[in-house]
Amino acid sequence: SLCAAAEPSLSYQELKDLKKANVLHIDVRERWEVDRFGKIPESINIPLGELMEALQMDPTEFKEQYNQKMPSKSDPVVFSCLAGTRSKQALGFAMSLGFS
């Protein structure tokens, strides 16, 4: 299950379409889950426990750690996890930090 602010839940196809339009896809599963079940192409893995800190990093530090440009507070971001619970928490964290 995938989660986005404007669209609480996305289908696989909707996500594929969004990814063509330069949306940052953050996978909030644990690293062992990504290792075991596979990485979603063009997503970055930031485990939920690291997300608050990551979204408050200096952009240079974020780029070094995650090899990806840090999103601005108005950039489109999609969170995903295994069942949808953590992605909803991730959305709440991001919104509490001022992401729209």
Side-chain angles (χ1 to χ4, degrees):
S1 184
L2 304 152
C3 199
E7 187 69 31
S9 227
L10 293 173
S11 71
Y12 175 71
Q13 190 55 52
E14 286 170 320
L15 178 64
K16 278 182 75 166
D17 293 344
L18 271 177
K19 287 170 82 90
K20 289 177 196 152
N22 214 16
V23 167
L24 179 62
H25 178 184
I26 299 176
D27 181 345
V28 296
R29 292 177 298 162
E30 295 300 318
R31 287 190 175 84
W32 69 265
E33 292 176 280
V34 174
D35 291 343
R36 181 179 297 172
F37 302 114
K39 182 182 187 322
I40 299 165
E42 286 136 46
S43 67
I44 62 169
N45 178 225
I46 305 176
L48 187 63
E50 282 174 34
L51 186 67
M52 285 292 276
E53 188 182 344
L55 293 177
Q56 297 177 84
M57 278 179 175
D58 172 80
T60 311
E61 197 183 341
F62 186 95
K63 176 96 171 115
E64 282 170 14
Q65 176 121 8
Y66 300 108
N67 201 25
Q68 175 79 42
K69 183 182 168 290
M70 185 171 177
S72 78
K73 301 225 191 275
S74 60
D75 283 345
V77 178
V78 172
F79 297 103
S80 67
C81 61
L82 196 60
T85 305
R86 287 172 289 180
S87 58
K88 284 185 181 66
Q89 285 181 279
L91 178 64
F93 288 165
M95 291 175 79
S96 76
L97 292 172
F99 283 81
S100 56

